[in-house]
Amino acid sequence: MNVNSFKKSVVTCVLALGLLLIGLLPAAAQSRSVFWNAWDVNIDNVDAVSNQFRVTETYDVSFTGPFTFGSAFIEMDRLEDIRNVSVSQDGREMRANCTRQQGTFCTGINEDGDFEIIYYFFAPINSSRSKFEISYDVIGAIRVYEGGDQLWWDAVPSDHFGFSIGEST
């Protein structure tokens, strides 16, 4: 084999390998998914006089592919405030800290005006299952009327990041 033939063979192999890798990129991107085996929401400690109640969201989640954090978003248009947030993973409490360190969570209002909770797993999850619990107090969401009070809460948002939910209570 002469030098030119060798160079052509190497270039052809590199191009073929590059095309193969480009073809695999969409498949790799699609290999990450989330399935909520259960997305349960409990509302308790309802106090109409103080206009507040406690929400506890419990997720049993199966991950396919690598993940390092999760998030929750609460629309603020029909309430005054969210307070006393706590997050746990598999029964282990996370610390409130906006440093993006493992085992922490951060809260705030995002650019859409929603209250967001971003929580960073204790360790990266790769094709495994984990349980999360997010609790918080909702202030100012109870509507008080002469004929009776109204508590309206969107327990499971219609857009759950495009992933499916198996069951919910």
Side-chain angles (χ1 to χ4, degrees), residues 23-164:
L24 291 176
L25 285 177
Q30 293 172 358
S31 66
R32 283 177 29 114
S33 67
V34 173
F35 178 73
W36 277 275
N37 302 295
W39 182 322
D40 298 330
V41 178
N42 185 55
I43 297 174
D44 62 3
N45 297 329
V46 178
D47 184 348
V49 174
S50 298
N51 199 348
Q52 64 183 6
F53 54 91
R54 183 97 177 141
V55 175
T56 302
E57 300 181 19
T58 306
Y59 313 139
D60 177 356
V61 186
S62 291
F63 297 92
T64 302
F67 289 85
T68 58
F69 71 95
S71 57
F73 299 92
I74 304 159
E75 292 183 10
M76 296 291 292
D77 57 345
R78 294 191 180 117
L79 56 101
E80 293 171 20
D81 199 10
I82 300 289
R83 296 181 190 153
N84 304 318
V85 176
S86 66
V87 180
S88 67
Q89 178 183 0
D90 297 320
R92 195 170 156 198
E93 284 289 320
M94 295 182 166
R95 291 179 300 111
N97 186 327
C98 292
T99 59
R100 298 182 180 184
Q101 292 177 331
Q102 292 179 339
T104 66
F105 68 93
C106 186
T107 64
I109 303 295
N110 67 17
E111 64 276 354
D112 294 329
D114 297 335
F115 188 87
E116 69 180 0
I117 304 166
I118 309 294
Y119 47 100
Y120 300 91
F121 306 154
F122 284 102
I125 295 175
N126 193 354
S127 297
S128 186
R129 190 171 179 170
S130 198
K131 291 184 179 180
F132 301 91
E133 185 175 282
I134 300 173
S135 295
Y136 48 89
D137 293 333
V138 177
I139 312 300
I142 300 172
R143 302 296 174 250
V144 179
Y145 303 107
E146 264 187 50
D149 301 335
Q150 180 187 53
L151 189 156
W152 182 278
W153 192 251
D154 191 9
V156 180
S158 58
D159 177 22
H160 28 83
F161 310 106
F163 298 113
S164 298

